[in-house]
């Protein structure tokens, strides 16, 4: 834990102090064996189960979950379904150029945080991977020879650090991109858009760090941004890196894509090949009342989903695997506490830039991992 950031040290402390240690079946304490038996019974009796989460699990646990989904004929989805999924799909398929964080830190001469505030979301992003760890410095002082820019709707800790800030009205990203494209084409544009276009024209390597502010503003239609990225690449090198929130979202997206050709919203129903479409997102599945059993792994839909959808969960049997006593864990028919990945569970994960990293075991495990429990559920179905 030495030198951990605020977010990292809080996670380590929570893993030690705020752990949930007792399995529960319909509100009463139960053994792990009883909980696995009850969970497998719910899954066996479901006609349209949905497995959701896994962004806080190791790649190894994600692989077990996909085997379970195939065995059940279940729908599987994660938070990228309504967050960064469109961008990560483009990156994985090669349609969207990207780069590693090391390449951004050492080679980029323009960095843009767009709709993102890493000061809170990724506290060491600036200091460890992008702006500050550069090896080349100006002769006159410490400042690296790079432009740090931001696009946002409000002042943040990150915006104070940026050399250039571009302020938008909420939802104004599409219009701003159109103005920048006009400026790059030599047409009339606003002063702010013209200034942004000048930065792109003068840069040799531009990296866009894409936050949810941009994604939600564009309504997951990233074509305007991809057009801007293409224009930037015509003037030099340019890349996009998604500012994903959970530590192994990219791992889930890569794992599912390698197995099915899709990064989220996949159904294994009817014993055929995997099906994909917006109708298999957790949002559409709950809204349509299709889910008759929900297996949640390391996620908290009671907190993260819109309230009207959360209210539909009252009639859905829920199985929850989580290290912490979240609202979803507390409300689940079967709740199984698991050891936290990357603290007590070793394995591998993918960073936001797609690089595979090894997660050592920092502490002795005080319970089964989510991968172990998923494996036991798979065995119980035979």
């Amino acid at each position: 834990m030495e030198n951990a950031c605020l977010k990292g040290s809080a996670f380590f402390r929570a893993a030690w102090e705020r752990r949930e240690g007792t399995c529960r079946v319909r509100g009463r304490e139960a053994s792990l064996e009883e909980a696995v038996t009850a969970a497998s019974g719910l899954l066996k009796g479901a006609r349209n189960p949905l497995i959701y989460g896994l962004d806080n699990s190791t790649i190894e646990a994600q692989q077990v979950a996909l085997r379970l989904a195939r065995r059940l004929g279940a729908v599987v989805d994660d938070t990228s379904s309504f967050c960064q999924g469109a961008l990560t799909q483009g990156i994985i398929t090669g349609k969207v150029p990207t780069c590693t964080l090391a390449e951004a830190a050492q080679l980029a001469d323009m960095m843009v945080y767009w709709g993102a505030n890493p000061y809170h979301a990724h506290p060491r992003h600036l200091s460890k991977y992008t702006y500050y760890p550069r090896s080349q410095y100006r002769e006159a002082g410490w400042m690296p020879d790079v432009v740090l820019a931001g696009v946002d709707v409000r002042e943040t800790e990150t915006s104070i650090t940026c050399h250039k800030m571009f302020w938008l009205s909420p939802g104004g990203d599409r219009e701003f991109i159109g103005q920048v494209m006009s400026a790059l084409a030599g047409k009339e544009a606003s002063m702010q858009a013209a200034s942004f276009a000048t930065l792109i024209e003068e840069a040799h390597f531009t990296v866009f760090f894409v936050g949810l502010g941009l994604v939600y503003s564009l309504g997951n239609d990233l074509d305007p941004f991809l057009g801007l990225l293409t224009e930037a690449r015509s003037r030099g090198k340019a890349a996009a890196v998604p500012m994903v929130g959970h530590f192994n979202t990219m791992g889930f997206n890569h794992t599912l894509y390698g197995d099915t050709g899709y990064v989220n919203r996949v159904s294994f129903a009817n014993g055929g090949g995997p099906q994909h479409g917006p109708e298999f997102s957790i949002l559409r599945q709950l809204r349509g009342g299709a889910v008759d059993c929900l297996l949640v792994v390391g996620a908290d839909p009671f907190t993260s989903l819109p309230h009207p959808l959360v209210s539909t969960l009252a009639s859905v049997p829920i199985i929850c695997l989580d290290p912490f006593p979240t609202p979803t864990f507390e409300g689940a028919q079967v709740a199984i506490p698991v050891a936290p990945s990357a603290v007590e569970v070793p394995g591998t994960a993918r960073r936001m830039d797609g690089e595979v990293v090894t997660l050592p075991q920092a502490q002795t495990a005080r319970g089964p991992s989510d991968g172990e429990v998923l494996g036991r559920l798979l065995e119980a179905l035979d």
Side-chain angles (χ1 to χ4, degrees), residues 2 19 29 54 99 118 124 166 173-174 222 279 343 362 379:
E2 271 191 35
R19 292 282 293 283
E29 292 188 5
L54 296 162
C99 66
R124 288 286 168 79
F166 300 87
D173 301 71
R174 188 182 301 272
L222 295 179
E279 67 272 22
V343 177
E379 292 174 359

Side-chain angles (χ1 to χ4, degrees), residues 107-110 145 199-207 232-233 235-238:
L107 302 176
D109 57 349
M110 179 177 173
D145 192 14
L199 292 179
I200 290 178
E201 290 176 329
E202 293 177 348
H204 298 288
F205 185 7
T206 302
V207 180
R233 283 176 63 83
R235 291 161 170 78
K237 189 174 180 180

Side-chain angles (χ1 to χ4, degrees), residues 48 73-76 264-270 272-277 280:
N48 189 36
V75 173
V76 62
N264 50 36
R265 304 174 180 179
V266 169
S267 173
F268 293 103
N270 303 321
Q275 304 171 67
H276 170 263
F280 300 122

